[in-house]
């Protein structure tokens, strides 16, 4: 019985650590669990932090347009998208993702490869907490610095941009930003440096969507 109590205590502490750490990520350069694991295994990781305000404004526009169109309106979970996924599953449709950028930040920073259902049970409340303790600008900045954005251990917008286009994410053109957005969430199979027809088609779609998002009052731009 004592062993069970000890194990339960350890499990509870492990589950609470992300909630204690999340408010501290208002500053600093956090890394993802995948990056940390690769470092510990002696594998290469390419990541150079770039502040959101330094990035080309076209990149956050394209990524929000592609990954989370309601980013500025939800509080960590897009419940409308979740309901659509459930309805599609009940009708026998293909299962698709409905993860918000905030959920992806929760997964990237604190979770690890585990069965999808268990991960979602952990991810949902953590995403709500992250949205509560961090401003939208910071959530987006973290995501754009920890997401895998290249096929050869490139993490974050800066490393992904240098690999794909040979220059900093600060000078991405609208088309280049849309191409980077188009390779999410699978930069291993999708390539922004030599985009195939599918990636180019997605980039064209995201370019149009980004232009529409730009007409709105975006929640990550304090100057607007």
């Amino acid at each position: 019985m004592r062993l069970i109590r000890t194990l339960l205590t350890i499990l509870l502490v492990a589950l609470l650590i992300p909630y204690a750490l999340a408010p501290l990520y208002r500053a600093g350069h956090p890394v993802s669990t995948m990056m940390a694991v690769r470092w510990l295994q002696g594998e290469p990781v390419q990541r150079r932090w770039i502040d959101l305000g330094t990035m080309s404004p076209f990149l956050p526009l394209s990524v929000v347009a592609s990954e989370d169109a309601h980013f500025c309106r939800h509080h960590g979970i897009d419940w409308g998208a979740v309901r659509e996924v459930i309805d599609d599953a009940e009708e026998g449709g293909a299962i698709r993702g409905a993860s918000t950028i905030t959920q992806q930040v929760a997964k990237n920073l604190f979770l690890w490869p585990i069965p999808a259902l268990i991960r979602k049970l952990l991810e949902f409340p953590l995403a709500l907490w992250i949205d509560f303790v961090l401003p939208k600008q910071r959530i987006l900045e973290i995501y754009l610095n920890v997401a895998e954005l290249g096929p050869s251990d490139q993490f974050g917008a800066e490393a992904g941009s240098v690999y794909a286009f040979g220059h900093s994410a600060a000078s991405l053109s609208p088309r280049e930003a849309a191409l980077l957005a188009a390779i999410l969430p699978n930069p291993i199979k999708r390539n922004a440096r030599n985009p195939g027809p599918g990636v180019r088609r997605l980039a064209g779609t995201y370019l149009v969507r980004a232009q529409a998002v730009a007409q709105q009052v975006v929640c990550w731009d304090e100057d607007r």
Side-chain angles (χ1 to χ4, degrees):
M1 182 64 70
R2 183 176 181 179
L3 177 61
I4 293 176
R5 286 200 299 268
T6 301
L7 291 175
L8 288 175
T9 300
I10 293 173
L11 177 61
L12 180 61
V13 170
L15 291 175
L16 291 178
I17 285 175
Y19 292 87
L21 288 178
L24 304 179
Y25 286 162
R26 294 181 72 94
H29 299 166
V31 300
S32 68
T33 54
M34 185 181 297
M35 293 166 64
V37 167
R38 291 189 181 183
W39 274 324
L40 290 173
Q41 293 175 341
E43 297 178 4
V45 172
Q46 299 180 48
R47 199 282 290 270
R48 189 168 69 213
W49 185 276
I50 180 170
D51 293 339
L52 186 64
T54 304
M55 295 177 198
S56 162
F58 303 116
L59 184 59
L61 286 170
S62 293
V63 169
V64 168
S66 66
E67 293 289 289
D68 188 359
H70 298 151
F71 177 68
C72 290
R73 298 202 295 270
H74 63 64
H75 296 287
I77 308 293
D78 187 346
W79 295 110
V82 172
R83 283 193 294 271
E84 289 179 6
V85 169
I86 294 173
D87 290 343
D88 288 347
E90 289 177 346
E91 294 172 2
I95 302 298
R96 56 187 175 83
S99 292
T100 64
I101 285 173
T102 314
Q103 286 176 256
Q104 294 180 60
V105 166
K107 178 182 70 175
N108 288 338
L109 291 184
F110 300 118
L111 302 180
W112 54 94
I114 52 178
L117 180 58
I118 297 175
R119 193 188 74 237
K120 288 296 182 184
L121 291 175
L122 297 173
E123 186 181 288
F124 272 42
L126 187 51
L128 294 171
W129 176 245
I130 288 172
D131 186 86
F132 179 72
V133 299
L134 296 180
K136 292 286 189 180
Q137 299 97 319
R138 182 60 174 170
I139 293 170
L140 187 56
E141 181 175 67
I142 291 173
Y143 178 69
L144 289 170
N145 277 283
V146 300
E148 194 170 10
L149 276 169
S152 305
D153 305 305
Q154 287 87 15
F155 289 85
E158 186 70 0
S161 177
V162 170
Y163 171 81
F165 311 115
H167 59 74
S168 170
S171 55
L172 286 168
S173 69
R175 179 180 177 276
E176 290 170 338
L179 283 169
L180 276 185
I183 67 173
L184 292 167
N186 197 338
I188 306 301
K189 292 185 177 180
R190 301 175 183 176
N191 195 322
R193 178 189 279 184
N194 299 302
V199 170
R200 291 198 299 269
R201 184 167 55 252
L202 278 175
T205 299
Y206 298 152
L207 185 59
V208 173
R209 291 181 183 176
Q211 291 169 350
V213 172
Q215 303 305 313
Q216 306 169 15
V217 178
V218 295
C219 56
W220 62 86
D221 190 344
E222 294 180 339
D223 296 329
R224 294 184 58 175

